[in-house]
Amino acid sequence: MEEERERIRKEMEEKERLRKKLEEEEREKERQPPVFVEPKKCPPLGLESHRIENDQLLASSVANHGFGPQRGRLNMQGTHDENDMYGGAWCADSEDREHWFEVDVRQETEFTGVITQGRDSQIYNDFVSTFYVAFSNDSRDWTLLHDGYSEWLFFGNVDKDTPVLSQFVEPVVARYIRILPQSWNGSLCMRLEVMGCPIKDVNSYYSQNEVTPVEDLDFRHHNYKDMRQMMKVINEECPNITRIYSLGKSYQELKIYAMEISDNPGEHETGEPEFRYTAGLHGNEVLGRELLLLLMQFLCKEYNDGNPRVRRLVDGIRIHLVPSLNPDAYELAFETGSELGNWGVGHWTQEGYDIFQNFPDLNSVLWSAEDRGWVPRVMANHHIPIPDNFLSENASVAVETRAIISWMEKHPFVLGANLQGGEKVVTYPFDMARPPKMEAESGASRRRARQYEEEEEDEEEESPDDSMFRWLAISYASTHLTMTYQSSCQTDDMTGGQGIVNRAKWKPVEGSMNDFSYLHTNCFELSIFLGCDKFPHESELAQEWENNREALLVFMEQVHRGIRGVVKDRDGNPVANATVSVEGVDHDVKTADTGDYWRLLNPGEYRVTVRAEGYSPLTRLCVVGYDAGATPCSFTLSKSNWDRIREIMALNGNKPIRLLRLRLRRLRQQRLRASLTTTVPPTTVPPTTTTTTTTLPPTTTTELLTEGTTSWYDSWVYEENPTATTLAQPVYTEATPDYSFEYKIDDY
């Protein structure tokens, strides 16, 4: 018994010693400074990018139908009408007592934070300043986030535009999350994004559509230094097909780099079309920048691996890729971050210009000339010159815009697209809406205007190549994996499920890059809006590459659609700047310095006419089929005698020669005789004879113009000494400012 009592005593002493040791360790821990662990960082779940669908968003109440929970997405843009159905935030009913905004993620997720923002409005300053956060797994029982002592009150926004990130100390696993506003400025309105990491479940159908990149590509955001290094690495890997050059410099002296990809980089090959992709017009729309860097990597790797499709593209097209046209603004957006930049940070240049809308307005020049009847006799319908005052030193033109214009004029581009963000749609010219025409005061004109008013409204924004532009736009949108059925971000789908829209009928702008390219050069250019989120998270780049990869390749292949050829003289010399006209399409193109040309056309038969100074015009029938590749349609021009005629006209003060006028009049009289010749029916004369009666045409100019239709030469052939019997020709004393119209008789 004594031994047993001794054993128990020793055990008790050992337990007491251990207890004191543990207490000492606890006191030591309390004396040490606490170590804070950085909160876990997760990507956005997709409210801004619309990966979270409308039916996953709920709210306690709404102020009206235009401020429902589907409008509560980060950076959602409202319309100018504050009372229509497209409000700039979710707004609650002010009469309710309890307010909440709920997101159903549809699977267990580690929630790590929320980003809140106020209402997009030009009038109101509405935002939520404090809020609670609650979680649930069944949407019935909710648990408020607390710190062990009380519910955690988060401090939100101090203005309506700047996003604010509120992080959780530890991730919370749940399916549903609710934001419960407690105080706000103005009305209770907010936009938000939720940060979270979905918990992987191999048995869940949510993982079936996840993308695992198969190419060894660099899926991350690249600042200016990283972009330059990436392009250098690609050039070193594929030196035979790549070349890096600069368009110019930005306002802050950053070079605007371009990558040329071709089988013979640095040189224009006769018969090979030139294509361009540009991105970064707005510095905070970064997806296009990363897609072009990925495209460079893809073309280089696949060409080296012998991919036949990529080899056809590189060998048959001179490709130019410009990932960042506004590098200054991108650096600003990059520093702000993917989720914390609002709609405007990095949008404009350092000087405050929107590059896309900073080009000369050539639409007004063309339409004004058309209304005056100057096209095509006084002014051509293509290659409209830039106004002198636009390029002056005091003009409001960004240095980046000047560099882009110079670059456009140096290369005979055929097709191109600029990659933008904030929407998911392809837009095509015209980008500017045509102003209503000045109607005549006569009653007949007013009745005619009323009769065709609706038809003119539908046609006035269409370019002469509208059908071709629609095909080019649909070639990208239909190949994109999501654009044709998810083509709405800020409003309802305006495309009818096609993913394409005429910019002038959607959001018209003046002086756009696309209209300038079409009216000043040969290049057909479109705008491709890649997604609702201007600055997607790095984790989304792999999926976006899969969405756009095939569309990027298909659109490049459209450069071979239509006709192509070389214009030469009888000696085999190329004829530069020759005008190529297609009957029925009121827009011409010109040949390059090497005499080659490309004309984008849909399948069909076309009468094509080529005109060049010093040569006689030549017309051919060119057939565009449905097979891949442009139809060859070359021309060989013969010298004309207009050079000698111009010399004689110069001796007479550049007035038309009377001999030529008389010959043209005689030719016209002969045509009128032929048209007025009639055969008398046999019943009106004796059966043994047949009499043909010919009526001579009038002899005076007035009678000629009264009886017949005015020919093209009547507009410029005039009497040196007009008489009372001569119909006076219209004299134009009014001209568009800053434009000198040069008339060339070889064009007609």
Side-chain angles (χ1 to χ4, degrees), residues 537-555:
H537 190 268
E538 204 166 80
S539 61
E540 301 179 33
L541 295 180
Q543 179 64 64
E544 292 296 342
W545 168 248
E546 293 296 323
N547 291 342
N548 290 274
R549 179 183 57 186
E550 182 64 18
L552 289 168
L553 300 179
V554 167
F555 187 77

Side-chain angles (χ1 to χ4, degrees), residues 53-65:
E53 300 176 358
N54 288 340
D55 58 357
Q56 295 178 251
L57 306 177
L58 296 174
S60 56
S61 62
V62 295
N64 59 53
H65 65 279

Side-chain angles (χ1 to χ4, degrees), residues 14 27 33 64 96 124 142 154 271 285 310 346 352 364 369 481 483 488 506 537 544 570 572 670 681 685 744:
E14 182 67 19
R27 286 192 294 269
N64 59 53
D96 281 9
Y124 304 101
W142 293 88
F154 291 91
E285 297 170 6
V310 172
S364 298
L481 296 187
M483 189 170 289
S488 60
W506 173 47
H537 190 268
E544 292 296 342
R570 291 291 181 181
Q670 292 174 357
V685 297
K744 297 180 180 180

Side-chain angles (χ1 to χ4, degrees), residues 434-449:
R434 184 165 185 167
K437 297 180 180 179
M438 298 298 294
E439 300 293 344
E441 293 298 328
S442 65
S445 298
R446 289 193 295 270
R447 288 192 299 271
R448 187 165 57 253

Side-chain angles (χ1 to χ4, degrees), residues 296-472:
M296 294 176 193
Q297 302 174 57
F298 176 81
L299 293 177
C300 174
K301 293 179 182 295
E302 294 299 313
Y303 189 91
N304 288 340
D305 292 342
N307 185 323
R309 183 186 187 186
V310 172
R311 282 189 172 269
R312 285 195 301 270
L313 283 171
V314 175
D315 295 343
I317 308 174
R318 191 182 183 196
I319 305 168
H320 301 257
L321 305 178
V322 187
S324 184
L325 288 173
N326 190 359
D328 299 347
Y330 174 81
E331 293 302 297
L332 178 61
F334 184 81
E335 292 176 2
T336 306
S338 173
E339 284 73 46
L340 299 182
N342 62 27
W343 199 257
V345 174
H347 183 87
W348 298 274
T349 67
Q350 288 294 319
E351 299 175 275
Y353 294 111
D354 184 333
I355 298 179
F356 181 73
Q357 306 177 39
N358 193 226
F359 289 81
D361 174 18
L362 303 183
N363 302 63
S364 298
V365 177
L366 175 64
W367 294 335
S368 177
E370 288 180 347
D371 293 342
R372 289 174 169 83
W374 290 352
V375 179
R377 297 179 181 179
V378 179
M379 194 186 87
N381 59 18
H382 62 100
H383 288 80
I384 301 173
I386 301 175
D388 294 335
N389 60 353
F390 181 84
L391 296 177
S392 63
E393 295 182 358
N394 298 327
S396 299
V397 184
V399 293
E400 295 87 352
T401 306
R402 297 177 187 270
I404 296 171
I405 292 177
S406 177
W407 176 60
M408 287 180 173
E409 295 176 337
K410 288 179 181 178
H411 299 274
F413 290 113
V414 181
L415 178 63
N418 50 81
L419 308 182
Q420 301 187 41
E423 282 288 352
K424 187 179 288 186
V425 67
V426 180
T427 66
Y428 55 91
F430 282 129
D431 291 356
M432 179 179 173
R434 184 165 185 167
K437 297 180 180 179
M438 298 298 294
E439 300 293 344
E441 293 298 328
S442 65
S445 298
R446 289 193 295 270
R447 288 192 299 271
R448 187 165 57 253
R450 288 193 299 269
Q451 180 179 358
Y452 298 107
E453 181 178 358
E454 295 183 359
E455 289 81 355
E456 289 178 354
E457 288 179 356
D458 294 335
E459 296 177 358
E460 61 186 5
E461 284 86 8
E462 295 180 357
S463 67
D465 288 283
D466 185 73
S467 61
M468 188 67 235
F469 274 121
R470 289 180 59 84
W471 169 262
L472 294 172

Side-chain angles (χ1 to χ4, degrees), residues 114-131:
V114 295
I115 301 175
T116 58
Q117 192 179 31
R119 173 184 175 184
D120 175 58
S121 173
Q122 298 180 353
I123 302 175
Y124 304 101
N125 190 29
D126 302 332
F127 55 87
V128 173
S129 54
T130 60
F131 59 91

